[in-house]
Amino acid sequence: TTRSGVAMSAEQPPELADDYMQLLEYMGYSHTSVDMLVETSGLTPAVVSSMLLQLELKGFIASGPGGLYNRLK
């Protein structure tokens, strides 16, 4: 499929920037803590928390008990 004549990748939804896609890759599809994402990504806790909120609002992840997150898409 194309948008404005540019081919869209099936792997990367058009509404997510590369850094958000990288964070999703770090998560995988298992329950993941903010601490693990901070350690793996090298980002600050504030940045990771902000990104997780955006991903949750867009329906890519869900928060669970114990402050863990899991990827939905």
Side-chain angles (χ1 to χ4, degrees):
T1 315
T2 61
R3 177 191 253 177
S4 303
V6 176
M8 291 175 22
S9 169
E11 295 175 7
Q12 182 173 346
E15 67 271 12
L16 285 183
D18 290 341
D19 52 345
Y20 284 83
M21 289 303 300
Q22 185 65 52
L23 195 66
L24 285 175
E25 288 179 29
Y26 289 139
M27 288 184 77
Y29 286 93
S30 59
H31 296 293
T32 309
S33 70
V34 173
D35 289 340
M36 194 286 292
L37 291 171
V38 167
E39 190 174 313
T40 306
S41 68
L43 300 170
T44 66
V47 170
V48 169
S49 295
S50 175
M51 291 174 75
L52 290 172
L53 176 60
Q54 292 300 315
L55 289 168
E56 189 171 9
L57 291 173
K58 291 183 180 194
F60 285 89
I61 65 171
S63 58
L68 298 177
Y69 290 85
N70 65 306
R71 184 174 173 177
L72 304 173
K73 299 182 187 181

